Short mmCIF file of all heavy atoms in Angstrom, two decimals:
data_model
loop_
_atom_site.label_atom_id
_atom_site.label_comp_id
_atom_site.label_asym_id
_atom_site.label_seq_id
_atom_site.Cartn_x
_atom_site.Cartn_y
_atom_site.Cartn_z
N GLY H 51 9.24 3.67 2.62
CA GLY H 51 10.58 4.20 2.61
C GLY H 51 10.66 5.62 2.12
O GLY H 51 10.15 5.97 1.06
N GLY H 52 11.34 6.50 2.86
CA GLY H 52 11.54 7.87 2.48
C GLY H 52 10.38 8.80 2.78
O GLY H 52 10.52 10.01 2.64
N LEU H 53 9.25 8.25 3.21
CA LEU H 53 8.06 9.08 3.43
C LEU H 53 8.06 9.63 4.84
O LEU H 53 8.86 9.30 5.71
CB LEU H 53 6.82 8.26 3.15
CG LEU H 53 6.69 7.68 1.71
CD1 LEU H 53 5.43 6.87 1.57
CD2 LEU H 53 6.75 8.81 0.69
N ALA H 54 7.09 10.52 5.10
CA ALA H 54 7.02 11.20 6.39
C ALA H 54 6.72 10.19 7.49
O ALA H 54 6.03 9.21 7.31
CB ALA H 54 5.96 12.27 6.38
N ASP H 55 7.28 10.44 8.67
CA ASP H 55 6.92 9.65 9.85
C ASP H 55 6.26 10.57 10.87
O ASP H 55 6.16 11.79 10.67
CB ASP H 55 8.12 8.93 10.43
CG ASP H 55 9.27 9.88 10.83
OD1 ASP H 55 9.05 11.11 10.75
OD2 ASP H 55 10.35 9.40 11.20
N LYS H 56 5.80 9.99 11.95
CA LYS H 56 5.07 10.77 12.99
C LYS H 56 3.94 11.57 12.45
O LYS H 56 3.81 12.76 12.75
CB LYS H 56 6.07 11.62 13.76
CG LYS H 56 7.15 10.84 14.51
CD LYS H 56 7.91 11.70 15.52
CE LYS H 56 8.70 12.77 14.85
NZ LYS H 56 9.55 13.52 15.79
N VAL H 57 3.16 10.98 11.57
CA VAL H 57 1.98 11.64 11.03
C VAL H 57 0.76 10.74 11.16
O VAL H 57 0.89 9.56 11.32
CB VAL H 57 2.16 12.00 9.52
CG1 VAL H 57 3.26 13.03 9.35
CG2 VAL H 57 2.45 10.77 8.69
N LEU H 58 -0.42 11.35 11.15
CA LEU H 58 -1.64 10.62 11.31
C LEU H 58 -2.47 10.49 10.04
O LEU H 58 -3.59 10.01 10.05
CB LEU H 58 -2.50 11.27 12.43
CG LEU H 58 -1.87 11.29 13.82
CD1 LEU H 58 -2.78 11.95 14.80
CD2 LEU H 58 -1.51 9.88 14.26
N ASP H 59 -1.88 10.93 8.93
CA ASP H 59 -2.54 10.83 7.64
C ASP H 59 -1.77 9.74 6.86
O ASP H 59 -0.62 9.92 6.48
CB ASP H 59 -2.46 12.15 6.90
CG ASP H 59 -3.34 12.16 5.68
OD1 ASP H 59 -3.56 11.09 5.09
OD2 ASP H 59 -3.81 13.25 5.30
N ARG H 60 -2.43 8.64 6.59
CA ARG H 60 -1.76 7.49 5.98
C ARG H 60 -1.31 7.79 4.56
O ARG H 60 -0.47 7.06 4.02
CB ARG H 60 -2.70 6.29 6.00
CG ARG H 60 -3.14 5.88 7.40
CD ARG H 60 -4.04 4.67 7.38
NE ARG H 60 -4.65 4.44 8.68
CZ ARG H 60 -4.07 3.83 9.70
NH1 ARG H 60 -2.84 3.35 9.55
NH2 ARG H 60 -4.72 3.64 10.81
N ARG H 61 -1.86 8.81 3.92
CA ARG H 61 -1.42 9.18 2.56
C ARG H 61 -0.02 9.76 2.56
O ARG H 61 0.65 9.81 1.53
CB ARG H 61 -2.40 10.19 1.98
CG ARG H 61 -3.81 9.63 1.80
CD ARG H 61 -4.82 10.74 1.56
NE ARG H 61 -4.84 11.67 2.70
CZ ARG H 61 -5.53 12.77 2.72
NH1 ARG H 61 -6.28 13.11 1.66
NH2 ARG H 61 -5.55 13.53 3.78
N LEU H 62 0.46 10.20 3.73
CA LEU H 62 1.75 10.82 3.81
C LEU H 62 2.89 9.85 4.17
O LEU H 62 4.06 10.15 3.99
CB LEU H 62 1.74 11.95 4.88
CG LEU H 62 0.68 13.04 4.67
CD1 LEU H 62 0.79 14.07 5.80
CD2 LEU H 62 0.89 13.73 3.35
N ASN H 63 2.52 8.67 4.67
CA ASN H 63 3.59 7.74 5.06
C ASN H 63 3.47 6.37 4.41
O ASN H 63 4.09 5.38 4.85
CB ASN H 63 3.62 7.56 6.58
CG ASN H 63 2.42 6.88 7.18
OD1 ASN H 63 1.50 6.42 6.44
ND2 ASN H 63 2.35 6.82 8.49
N ALA H 64 2.65 6.23 3.33
CA ALA H 64 2.57 4.98 2.58
C ALA H 64 2.35 5.36 1.11
O ALA H 64 1.80 6.40 0.80
CB ALA H 64 1.41 4.13 3.09
N ARG H 65 2.79 4.45 0.22
CA ARG H 65 2.66 4.74 -1.23
C ARG H 65 2.06 3.57 -1.96
O ARG H 65 2.29 2.39 -1.59
CB ARG H 65 3.97 5.14 -1.85
CG ARG H 65 5.08 4.10 -1.75
CD ARG H 65 6.24 4.41 -2.71
NE ARG H 65 6.92 5.69 -2.55
CZ ARG H 65 7.92 5.93 -1.68
NH1 ARG H 65 8.34 4.94 -0.92
NH2 ARG H 65 8.44 7.08 -1.59
N LYS H 66 1.31 3.89 -2.98
CA LYS H 66 0.80 2.88 -3.91
C LYS H 66 1.73 2.83 -5.11
O LYS H 66 2.06 3.87 -5.69
CB LYS H 66 -0.60 3.17 -4.34
CG LYS H 66 -1.22 2.03 -5.20
CD LYS H 66 -1.64 2.51 -6.54
CE LYS H 66 -2.08 1.32 -7.39
NZ LYS H 66 -2.88 1.70 -8.52
N VAL H 67 2.18 1.63 -5.52
CA VAL H 67 3.09 1.47 -6.65
C VAL H 67 2.41 0.54 -7.67
O VAL H 67 2.00 -0.58 -7.29
CB VAL H 67 4.43 0.87 -6.21
CG1 VAL H 67 5.39 0.74 -7.39
CG2 VAL H 67 5.07 1.71 -5.09
N CYS H 68 2.31 0.94 -8.91
CA CYS H 68 1.75 0.09 -9.95
C CYS H 68 2.75 -1.01 -10.28
O CYS H 68 3.96 -0.71 -10.44
CB CYS H 68 1.42 0.90 -11.17
SG CYS H 68 0.16 2.20 -10.91
N MET H 69 2.29 -2.24 -10.44
CA MET H 69 3.17 -3.35 -10.73
C MET H 69 2.57 -4.19 -11.82
O MET H 69 1.32 -4.22 -12.05
CB MET H 69 3.38 -4.23 -9.46
CG MET H 69 4.17 -3.55 -8.35
SD MET H 69 4.44 -4.69 -6.97
CE MET H 69 5.41 -3.65 -5.88
N ASN H 70 3.45 -5.01 -12.48
CA ASN H 70 2.95 -5.90 -13.53
C ASN H 70 2.27 -7.13 -12.89
O ASN H 70 2.38 -7.33 -11.67
CB ASN H 70 4.10 -6.34 -14.43
CG ASN H 70 5.18 -7.10 -13.69
OD1 ASN H 70 4.91 -8.12 -13.01
ND2 ASN H 70 6.41 -6.60 -13.75
N PRO H 71 1.52 -7.93 -13.68
CA PRO H 71 0.75 -9.05 -13.09
C PRO H 71 1.59 -10.03 -12.30
O PRO H 71 1.14 -10.56 -11.27
CB PRO H 71 0.11 -9.70 -14.32
CG PRO H 71 0.03 -8.58 -15.34
CD PRO H 71 1.23 -7.76 -15.11
N ILE H 72 2.81 -10.34 -12.76
CA ILE H 72 3.64 -11.32 -12.06
C ILE H 72 4.04 -10.73 -10.70
O ILE H 72 3.99 -11.45 -9.65
CB ILE H 72 4.88 -11.66 -12.89
CG1 ILE H 72 4.47 -12.43 -14.14
CG2 ILE H 72 5.87 -12.53 -12.07
CD1 ILE H 72 5.62 -12.76 -15.07
N SER H 73 4.44 -9.48 -10.66
CA SER H 73 4.83 -8.86 -9.40
C SER H 73 3.63 -8.76 -8.47
O SER H 73 3.76 -8.95 -7.27
CB SER H 73 5.39 -7.43 -9.65
OG SER H 73 6.63 -7.53 -10.31
N ARG H 74 2.42 -8.49 -9.01
CA ARG H 74 1.25 -8.42 -8.17
C ARG H 74 0.90 -9.80 -7.58
O ARG H 74 0.43 -9.89 -6.43
CB ARG H 74 0.04 -7.87 -8.93
CG ARG H 74 0.15 -6.41 -9.27
CD ARG H 74 -1.23 -5.83 -9.61
NE ARG H 74 -1.87 -6.50 -10.75
CZ ARG H 74 -1.66 -6.18 -12.04
NH1 ARG H 74 -0.90 -5.16 -12.35
NH2 ARG H 74 -2.30 -6.81 -12.99
N PHE H 75 1.17 -10.89 -8.35
CA PHE H 75 0.94 -12.21 -7.82
C PHE H 75 1.91 -12.50 -6.68
O PHE H 75 1.50 -13.00 -5.62
CB PHE H 75 1.13 -13.27 -8.95
CG PHE H 75 1.19 -14.65 -8.44
CD1 PHE H 75 0.03 -15.30 -8.00
CD2 PHE H 75 2.35 -15.34 -8.38
CE1 PHE H 75 0.07 -16.62 -7.53
CE2 PHE H 75 2.43 -16.65 -7.92
CZ PHE H 75 1.28 -17.27 -7.49
N ILE H 76 3.19 -12.20 -6.90
CA ILE H 76 4.19 -12.46 -5.85
C ILE H 76 3.86 -11.63 -4.61
O ILE H 76 3.94 -12.08 -3.47
CB ILE H 76 5.59 -12.12 -6.36
CG1 ILE H 76 6.01 -13.09 -7.48
CG2 ILE H 76 6.64 -12.15 -5.22
CD1 ILE H 76 7.28 -12.69 -8.19
N TYR H 77 3.46 -10.38 -4.84
CA TYR H 77 3.22 -9.43 -3.75
C TYR H 77 1.78 -9.45 -3.22
O TYR H 77 1.49 -8.77 -2.28
CB TYR H 77 3.58 -8.02 -4.28
CG TYR H 77 4.10 -7.11 -3.21
CD1 TYR H 77 4.89 -7.54 -2.16
CD2 TYR H 77 3.79 -5.77 -3.28
CE1 TYR H 77 5.36 -6.68 -1.21
CE2 TYR H 77 4.25 -4.86 -2.33
CZ TYR H 77 5.04 -5.33 -1.30
OH TYR H 77 5.50 -4.47 -0.34
N LEU H 78 0.94 -10.22 -3.83
CA LEU H 78 -0.46 -10.42 -3.45
C LEU H 78 -1.16 -9.04 -3.28
O LEU H 78 -1.87 -8.81 -2.31
CB LEU H 78 -0.55 -11.20 -2.15
CG LEU H 78 -1.85 -12.02 -1.93
CD1 LEU H 78 -2.02 -13.04 -3.07
CD2 LEU H 78 -1.83 -12.72 -0.60
N LYS H 79 -0.90 -8.17 -4.26
CA LYS H 79 -1.56 -6.85 -4.31
C LYS H 79 -1.20 -5.94 -3.10
O LYS H 79 -1.92 -4.98 -2.85
CB LYS H 79 -3.06 -6.96 -4.48
CG LYS H 79 -3.49 -7.71 -5.75
CD LYS H 79 -4.99 -7.71 -5.85
CE LYS H 79 -5.45 -8.45 -7.13
NZ LYS H 79 -5.20 -9.91 -7.05
N MET H 80 -0.12 -6.23 -2.41
CA MET H 80 0.27 -5.38 -1.31
C MET H 80 0.86 -4.06 -1.80
O MET H 80 1.19 -3.19 -0.99
CB MET H 80 1.30 -6.09 -0.42
CG MET H 80 0.69 -7.11 0.51
SD MET H 80 1.92 -8.02 1.45
CE MET H 80 2.79 -6.71 2.30
N ASN H 81 0.96 -3.90 -3.13
CA ASN H 81 1.41 -2.61 -3.66
C ASN H 81 0.35 -1.53 -3.49
O ASN H 81 0.65 -0.34 -3.56
CB ASN H 81 1.75 -2.74 -5.14
CG ASN H 81 0.63 -3.38 -5.97
OD1 ASN H 81 0.18 -4.49 -5.66
ND2 ASN H 81 0.14 -2.68 -6.98
N TYR H 82 -0.89 -1.93 -3.14
CA TYR H 82 -1.94 -0.94 -2.79
C TYR H 82 -1.78 -0.61 -1.30
O TYR H 82 -2.66 -0.91 -0.48
CB TYR H 82 -3.33 -1.53 -3.06
CG TYR H 82 -3.62 -1.76 -4.53
CD1 TYR H 82 -3.32 -2.95 -5.15
CD2 TYR H 82 -4.23 -0.72 -5.27
CE1 TYR H 82 -3.64 -3.14 -6.51
CE2 TYR H 82 -4.56 -0.92 -6.60
CZ TYR H 82 -4.24 -2.13 -7.22
OH TYR H 82 -4.53 -2.31 -8.54
N ARG H 83 -0.69 0.05 -0.95
CA ARG H 83 -0.32 0.16 0.47
C ARG H 83 -1.16 1.21 1.19
O ARG H 83 -1.54 1.03 2.35
CB ARG H 83 1.16 0.50 0.59
CG ARG H 83 1.74 0.06 1.91
CD ARG H 83 1.79 -1.45 1.95
NE ARG H 83 2.10 -1.92 3.31
CZ ARG H 83 1.37 -2.82 3.96
NH1 ARG H 83 0.31 -3.34 3.38
NH2 ARG H 83 1.72 -3.23 5.14
N VAL H 84 -1.42 2.35 0.56
CA VAL H 84 -2.21 3.37 1.21
C VAL H 84 -3.59 2.85 1.47
O VAL H 84 -4.13 2.98 2.57
CB VAL H 84 -2.28 4.65 0.33
CG1 VAL H 84 -3.05 5.75 1.07
CG2 VAL H 84 -0.88 5.12 -0.04
N GLU H 85 -4.19 2.22 0.47
CA GLU H 85 -5.54 1.70 0.60
C GLU H 85 -5.64 0.65 1.70
O GLU H 85 -6.58 0.64 2.50
CB GLU H 85 -5.99 1.11 -0.75
CG GLU H 85 -6.05 2.11 -1.91
CD GLU H 85 -4.75 2.33 -2.59
OE1 GLU H 85 -3.68 1.87 -2.07
OE2 GLU H 85 -4.74 2.97 -3.66
N GLN H 86 -4.65 -0.22 1.76
CA GLN H 86 -4.67 -1.32 2.72
C GLN H 86 -4.52 -0.79 4.15
O GLN H 86 -5.15 -1.32 5.07
CB GLN H 86 -3.55 -2.32 2.40
CG GLN H 86 -3.78 -3.75 2.94
CD GLN H 86 -3.39 -3.86 4.40
OE1 GLN H 86 -2.54 -3.14 4.88
NE2 GLN H 86 -4.04 -4.78 5.11
N HIS H 87 -3.74 0.27 4.33
CA HIS H 87 -3.61 0.87 5.66
C HIS H 87 -4.87 1.59 6.08
O HIS H 87 -5.20 1.65 7.25
CB HIS H 87 -2.41 1.78 5.71
CG HIS H 87 -1.16 1.12 6.16
ND1 HIS H 87 -0.82 1.02 7.47
CD2 HIS H 87 -0.16 0.54 5.46
CE1 HIS H 87 0.31 0.37 7.63
NE2 HIS H 87 0.74 0.05 6.41
N MET H 88 -5.58 2.18 5.11
CA MET H 88 -6.80 2.86 5.46
C MET H 88 -7.91 1.90 5.91
O MET H 88 -8.63 2.17 6.86
CB MET H 88 -7.31 3.69 4.24
CG MET H 88 -6.63 5.02 4.09
SD MET H 88 -7.64 6.08 3.03
CE MET H 88 -6.54 7.49 2.92
N LEU H 89 -8.03 0.79 5.20
CA LEU H 89 -9.06 -0.22 5.54
C LEU H 89 -8.38 -1.59 5.57
O LEU H 89 -8.41 -2.37 4.63
CB LEU H 89 -10.18 -0.22 4.50
CG LEU H 89 -11.26 0.87 4.62
CD1 LEU H 89 -12.26 0.74 3.49
CD2 LEU H 89 -11.95 0.79 5.97
N PRO H 90 -7.72 -1.92 6.70
CA PRO H 90 -6.99 -3.21 6.79
C PRO H 90 -7.87 -4.44 6.70
O PRO H 90 -7.32 -5.52 6.48
CB PRO H 90 -6.29 -3.11 8.16
CG PRO H 90 -7.07 -2.09 8.94
CD PRO H 90 -7.57 -1.12 7.92
N MET H 91 -9.18 -4.30 6.90
CA MET H 91 -10.04 -5.46 6.83
C MET H 91 -10.56 -5.76 5.42
O MET H 91 -11.30 -6.70 5.24
CB MET H 91 -11.24 -5.30 7.78
CG MET H 91 -10.86 -5.19 9.23
SD MET H 91 -9.72 -6.51 9.77
CE MET H 91 -10.76 -7.93 9.57
N VAL H 92 -10.10 -4.97 4.46
CA VAL H 92 -10.46 -5.22 3.06
C VAL H 92 -9.57 -6.35 2.50
O VAL H 92 -8.34 -6.30 2.65
CB VAL H 92 -10.34 -3.97 2.20
CG1 VAL H 92 -10.48 -4.27 0.72
CG2 VAL H 92 -11.38 -2.92 2.65
N SER H 93 -10.17 -7.32 1.84
CA SER H 93 -9.41 -8.41 1.25
C SER H 93 -8.45 -7.88 0.16
O SER H 93 -8.77 -6.88 -0.51
CB SER H 93 -10.35 -9.44 0.61
OG SER H 93 -9.66 -10.32 -0.20
#
């Protein structure tokens, strides 16, 4: 949300957000959004 679109650099259109342990459990560590988009096959 709010980030650049129509770009080919994933660092410009995704963000990593630090979360507490409960939020990370609910979100299953999807807060590591830039990293997950760079290597989608990483667990």
Side-chain angles (χ1 to χ4, degrees):
L53 301 179
D55 58 6
K56 297 193 295 186
V57 295
L58 297 180
D59 191 332
R60 301 180 191 278
R61 297 165 299 175
L62 304 179
N63 66 5
R65 59 164 59 87
K66 186 239 173 162
V67 182
C68 298
M69 294 183 177
N70 62 56
I72 294 176
S73 292
R74 289 199 302 272
F75 169 75
I76 294 171
Y77 210 35
L78 208 60
K79 300 184 180 69
M80 282 175 59
N81 52 303
Y82 292 91
R83 205 70 191 127
V84 183
E85 297 84 348
Q86 204 278 332
H87 267 273
M88 278 198 184
L89 280 178
M91 296 312 294
V92 171
S93 167

